[in-house]
């Protein structure tokens, strides 16, 4: 399980601008985190399918985006619930001395293509919120 935040170049400036024009930075952040969760979860669902034996690891994928706020910082948990059948996902993602790592599963969470897509979507959500607030 991993925690993701909203992170892209110029994020602080966008939040300040959005707040200045009366937009909701909190709502926009939550929307961006839910989009992040959706993108990564879809990629992980595709990548874990070839490893199905009992289905326990696949079922442990966190499918509901729950936003956690700690002061001014929001996070969303993404990935597999380790305590409820998700432990094998770690061995699949990173490999073991006997098992080669699954690059597709690894890339679903940490791959450049996935992270670039996440940052692009997060940024677009904030641009859209600013445009809507300016109207």
């Amino acid at each position: 399980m991993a925690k993701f935040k909203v992170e892209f170049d110029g994020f602080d400036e966008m939040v300040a601008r959005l707040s200045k024009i009366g937009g909701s930075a909190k709502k926009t952040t939550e929307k961006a985190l839910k989009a992040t969760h959706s993108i990564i979860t879809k990629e992980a669902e595709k990548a874990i399918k070839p490893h199905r034996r009992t289905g326990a690891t696949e079922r442990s994928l966190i499918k509901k985006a729950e936003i956690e706020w700690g002061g001014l910082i929001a996070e969303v948990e993404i990935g597999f619930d380790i305590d409820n059948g998700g432990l094998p996902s770690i061995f699949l993602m990173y490999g073991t001395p006997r098992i080669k790592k699954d690059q597709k599963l690894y890339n679903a969470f940490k791959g450049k293509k996935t992270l670039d897509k996440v940052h692009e979507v997060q940024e677009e959500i904030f641009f859209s919120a600013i445009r809507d607030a300016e109207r």
Side-chain angles (χ1 to χ4, degrees):
M1 170 177 6
K3 291 191 180 203
F4 273 77
K5 301 174 187 173
V6 177
E7 299 175 287
F8 56 84
D9 290 336
F11 171 69
D12 293 333
E13 292 83 12
M14 279 198 177
V15 169
R17 183 172 176 195
L18 186 60
S19 297
K20 184 178 177 182
I21 60 175
S24 174
K26 183 175 181 177
K27 227 183 238 186
T28 306
T29 299
E30 288 184 358
K31 184 177 179 181
L33 286 173
K34 286 178 182 177
T36 299
H37 183 275
S38 177
I39 291 166
I40 294 175
T41 300
K42 284 178 187 171
E43 292 297 318
E45 283 176 329
K46 287 189 269 183
I48 196 66
K49 284 204 185 295
H51 300 288
R52 184 169 227 224
R53 289 196 181 148
T54 65
T57 305
E58 195 173 345
R59 283 190 303 274
S60 74
L61 187 62
I62 300 168
K63 294 188 178 169
K64 185 172 188 246
E66 293 184 20
I67 311 302
E68 298 172 15
W69 284 90
L72 298 174
I73 298 174
E75 298 175 323
V76 64
E77 288 186 352
I78 296 174
F80 298 91
D81 186 348
I82 302 303
D83 295 333
N84 292 309
L87 185 61
S89 67
I90 295 172
F91 304 122
L92 292 169
M93 282 179 64
Y94 295 100
T96 68
R98 294 184 184 173
I99 301 171
K100 186 178 175 188
K101 90 179 204 178
D102 181 334
Q103 192 65 46
K104 287 182 182 178
L105 187 58
Y106 180 87
N107 288 344
F109 294 93
K110 298 180 182 245
K112 180 175 176 14
K113 186 177 173 184
T114 301
L115 295 178
D116 286 348
K117 185 175 181 181
V118 163
H119 292 142
E120 180 182 315
V121 168
Q122 289 178 348
E123 194 171 0
E124 180 53 39
I125 287 170
F126 271 84
F127 277 129
S128 179
I130 289 170
R131 282 192 301 270
D132 292 345
E134 287 178 335
R135 290 184 187 160

